[in-house]
Amino acid sequence: MPVTDAPLLQHYRTWLDQDGYHARLRHLLPQAAIDYGCRQEVHATDRWDLIQSAIHNQVLHWCWQGSTQSYGIAPADGLA
């Protein structure tokens, strides 16, 4: 039996519609994080690709946070 619902993912609101699977971060990313490559929302054609995309996006977000905070620079400063 195929799975037809969106997976539950920590930090994300997920849903499935006619365009596929979606996961949107529950918090709003600052522009500097988006410029770094983080995405507010990820899409996929199946649930496993959505999980992989969301994990990759979350790791990228943590990398961005670490790269700015380790130097005492506020993430809003836009350094990437």
Side-chain angles (χ1 to χ4, degrees), residues 55-76:
I55 290 170
H56 178 265
N57 192 55
Q58 190 61 45
V59 169
L60 188 60
H61 183 237
W62 290 330
C63 289
W64 169 76
Q65 286 178 318
S67 71
T68 58
Q69 293 174 0
S70 63
Y71 297 104
I73 301 167

Side-chain angles (χ1 to χ4, degrees), residues 5-18:
D5 58 339
L8 297 176
L9 300 171
Q10 186 178 16
H11 306 293
Y12 290 87
R13 184 175 58 87
T14 60
W15 70 97
L16 172 64
D17 63 17
Q18 66 276 7

Side-chain angles (χ1 to χ4, degrees), residues 1-3 6 9 14 20 26 35 41 43 45-47 50-51 53 60 65-66 71 78:
M1 179 174 163
V3 178
L9 300 171
T14 60
R26 294 183 186 276
D35 293 343
E41 188 174 311
H43 308 273
T45 55
D46 67 56
R47 64 186 283 118
L50 183 72
I51 292 168
S53 293
L60 188 60
Q65 286 178 318
Y71 297 104

